[in-house]
């Protein structure tokens, strides 16, 4: 079986080339061809000798992702892509345009094990992790189809990125490699529902990417109800991990807060959010809930603004995320891809 060349970083490519009795410096040329020139077949790699191109053809494939569909919002041009992987599994990713910002929201897993109650992906169960190449290719193809190049890449699509930690960091390394896409590390955001052990790992490894934590409630029983992962990783421990991360890396963290009517949108919730995040350099991003489930609806706009004002009074940086792509089911928490395999609520170690 051919290897996916997008799975490899420059160092791994060098090792592979050495195994093929080729000089390591060719790896940089190949990397540039893949990520700067965006060549799509080995014949295009005119910087390489013909014999090497033939060798590469026998060892590697360049593409594993097939675009099945895409849909563009008539309201704001948010574009959602449906991809098919080589084993037939399907995932989605989204381009969001907002002023000068062009955000590529990408997936890290097929489905998700964590079953957050307001999220469509959680209803799929976990099917499998994506490989680094499958993550990288989402960005490559979207770049071709986007009207502007990406300014931000966020791991906020399908899946919990921290449960596919190695592949996610590997792909982020390929995005930001100066020999390749040279994408700003700070503009790559890894979002987690609170897998604490990997927040510590990210801090200890000094990973240069931004961290977002999907907090969504500051009340332990409520958070356990809407995010079952909280039973294993309680709020107090999560906030200690966030503080450790900000102290160690000297970077701010973003707390995402999906606002759900009657569940986490009260004045007391806002005050508790201010109290609990005191001392943690952070910004707070409020996302009016996008769920179809009648139990998990967004509050009315007045309530969203009231919550915003209350938090704002504490001089926290708070933003409200627009519901971009809501009508094409491309907004936060709406991604869902039909897959042939039955939904599996696989028990996994988080
Ligand atoms: S919100 Fe994120 S972690 Fe929770 S179920 Fe959805 S994809 Fe998984």
């Amino acid at each position: 079986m051919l290897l996916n060349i997008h799975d490899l970083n420059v160092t791994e490519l060098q090792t592979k080339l050495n195994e093929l009795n080729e000089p390591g410096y060719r790896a940089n040329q190949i990397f540039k061809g893949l990520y700067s020139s965006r060549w799509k077949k080995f014949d295009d790699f005119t910087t390489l000798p013909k014999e090497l191109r033939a060798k590469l053809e026998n060892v590697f494939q360049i593409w594993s992702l097939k675009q099945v569909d895409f849909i563009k919002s008539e309201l704001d041009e948010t574009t959602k892509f449906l991809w098919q992987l080589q084993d037939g599994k399907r995932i989605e990713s989204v381009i969001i345009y907002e002023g000068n910002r062009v955000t590529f929201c990408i997936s890290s897993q097929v489905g998700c094990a964590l079953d957050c109650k307001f999220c469509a992906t959680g209803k799929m169960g976990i099917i499998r992790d994506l490989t680094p190449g499958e993550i990288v290719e989402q960005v490559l193809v979207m770049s071709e189809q986007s009207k502007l190049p990406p300014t931000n890449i966020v791991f906020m699509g399908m899946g919990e990125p921290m449960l596919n930690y190695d592949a996610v960091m590997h792909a982020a390394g390929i995005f930001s490699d100066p020999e390749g896409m040279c994408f700003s590390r700070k503009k790559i955001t890894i979002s987690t529902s609170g897998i604490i052990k990997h927040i510590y790992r990210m801090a200890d490894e000094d990973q240069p990417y931004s961290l977002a934590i999907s907090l969504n409630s500051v009340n332990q029983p409520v958070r356990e109800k809407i995010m079952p992962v909280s039973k294993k990783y309680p709020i107090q421990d999560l906030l200690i991990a966030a503080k450790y991360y900000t102290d160690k890396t000297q970077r701010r963290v973003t707390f995402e807060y999906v606002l759900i009517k009657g569940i986490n949108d009260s004045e007391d919730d806002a005050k508790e959010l201010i109290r609990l995040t005191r001392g943690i350099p952070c910004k707070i991003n409020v996302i009016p809930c996008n769920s179809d489930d009648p139990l998990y609806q967004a509050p009315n706009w007045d309530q969203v603004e009231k919550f915003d004002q209350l938090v704002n009074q504490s001089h926290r940086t708070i933003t409200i995320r627009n519901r971009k792509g809501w009508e094409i089911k491309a907004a936060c928490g709406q991604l869902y891809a039909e897959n042939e395999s039955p939904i599996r609520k696989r028990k996994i170690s988080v």
Side-chain angles (χ1 to χ4, degrees):
M1 190 172 156
L2 298 177
L3 300 171
N4 182 357
I5 200 160
H6 291 127
D7 278 336
L8 307 187
N9 61 26
V10 173
T11 313
E12 292 163 336
L13 207 46
Q14 274 165 0
T15 308
K16 197 70 208 167
L17 286 166
N18 291 339
E19 283 169 25
L20 297 171
N21 294 319
E22 293 289 344
Y25 71 86
R26 294 283 185 205
N28 284 3
Q29 290 176 307
I30 296 173
F31 222 66
K32 278 208 164 72
L34 288 170
Y35 299 109
S36 297
S37 308
R38 307 280 169 103
W39 287 328
K40 294 201 187 67
K41 46 187 194 322
F42 288 114
D43 271 353
D44 296 337
F45 286 70
T46 44
T47 46
L48 304 177
K50 241 183 168 173
E51 307 74 57
L52 175 54
R53 284 186 253 160
K55 252 190 209 179
L56 293 175
E57 195 105 45
N58 288 327
V59 178
F60 294 110
Q61 61 173 43
I62 297 196
W63 291 106
S64 65
L65 211 63
K66 192 172 117 200
Q67 186 177 328
V68 178
D69 203 0
F70 81 101
I71 177 166
K72 189 184 267 194
S73 160
E74 288 177 6
L75 300 177
D76 55 33
E77 294 193 271
T78 298
T79 309
K80 180 169 80 164
F81 297 83
L82 175 65
W83 314 105
Q84 181 153 306
L85 311 172
Q86 278 188 316
D87 59 1
K89 306 287 182 283
R90 290 181 168 194
I91 55 165
E92 295 186 320
S93 27
V94 180
I95 303 176
I96 303 145
Y97 302 99
E98 203 162 23
N100 293 330
R101 240 174 113 99
V102 181
T103 303
F104 282 15
C105 176
I106 57 174
S107 294
S108 55
Q109 296 182 305
V110 185
C112 183
L114 297 191
D115 199 19
C116 302
K117 300 304 175 194
F118 47 83
C119 171
T121 308
K123 300 197 177 7
M124 293 172 64
I126 180 67
I127 296 173
R128 73 167 171 86
D129 289 338
L130 296 187
T131 63
E134 288 166 341
I135 296 170
V136 167
E137 287 176 22
Q138 292 171 60
V139 169
L140 287 176
V141 187
M142 287 199 289
S143 297
E144 278 181 4
Q145 304 201 18
S146 173
K147 64 174 186 178
L148 292 166
T151 57
N152 297 74
I153 297 174
V154 298
F155 284 87
M156 295 184 188
M158 293 166 63
E160 162 55 60
M162 294 291 200
L163 292 182
N164 189 14
Y165 185 93
D166 290 336
V168 163
M169 294 302 167
H170 205 87
I174 293 174
F175 295 144
S176 53
D177 192 311
E179 293 293 331
M181 258 186 252
C182 202
F183 198 83
S184 163
R185 294 181 168 98
K186 280 193 300 199
K187 301 283 183 183
I188 299 173
T189 301
I190 319 282
S191 174
T192 179
S193 56
I195 309 295
I196 289 175
K197 61 184 174 186
H198 290 311
I199 295 176
Y200 284 109
R201 186 174 167 194
M202 208 174 150
D204 290 338
E205 291 176 354
D206 199 20
Q207 294 287 356
Y209 315 111
S210 298
L211 175 68
I213 296 175
S214 194
L215 188 59
N216 306 332
S217 174
V218 279
N219 175 305
Q220 182 62 25
V222 171
R223 193 168 193 269
E224 283 183 16
K225 194 174 151 218
I226 59 175
M227 299 179 75
V229 68
S230 204
K231 290 177 193 155
K232 172 148 187 187
Y233 295 118
I235 295 171
Q236 282 302 338
D237 294 349
L238 180 55
L239 294 171
I240 291 169
K243 177 80 173 109
Y244 179 86
Y245 173 87
T246 55
D247 285 350
K248 182 103 192 196
T249 62
Q250 297 297 301
R251 285 193 288 272
R252 276 200 308 184
V253 67
T254 299
F255 289 113
E256 310 277 358
Y257 196 96
V258 173
L259 206 58
I260 311 170
K261 184 177 165 185
I263 291 185
N264 63 2
D265 63 340
S266 69
E267 196 174 321
D268 284 348
D269 287 314
K271 285 183 183 158
E272 191 63 355
L273 178 60
I274 296 164
R275 189 181 74 79
L276 286 181
T277 56
R278 195 166 289 140
I280 304 175
C282 66
K283 57 182 175 176
I284 296 166
N285 193 7
V286 168
I287 306 161
C289 189
N290 292 305
S291 174
D292 282 344
D293 188 329
L295 292 174
Y296 303 101
Q297 290 297 297
N300 62 37
W301 192 248
D302 286 350
Q303 187 62 23
V304 174
E305 286 196 321
K306 197 169 152 200
F307 194 90
D308 173 61
Q309 277 159 14
L310 277 166
V311 179
N312 213 358
Q313 280 165 13
S314 70
H315 307 294
R316 274 332 125 76
T317 309
I318 179 164
T319 51
I320 302 175
R321 193 186 298 170
N322 288 333
R323 302 177 94 187
K324 294 248 172 190
W326 186 76
E327 78 291 358
I328 58 164
K329 295 201 184 301
C332 185
Q334 288 189 302
L335 301 189
Y336 182 96
E338 294 289 346
N339 275 277
E340 283 160 24
S341 7
I343 292 171
R344 277 193 292 149
K345 298 279 181 193
R346 172 153 59 97
K347 280 243 178 273
I348 57 157
S349 159
V350 295

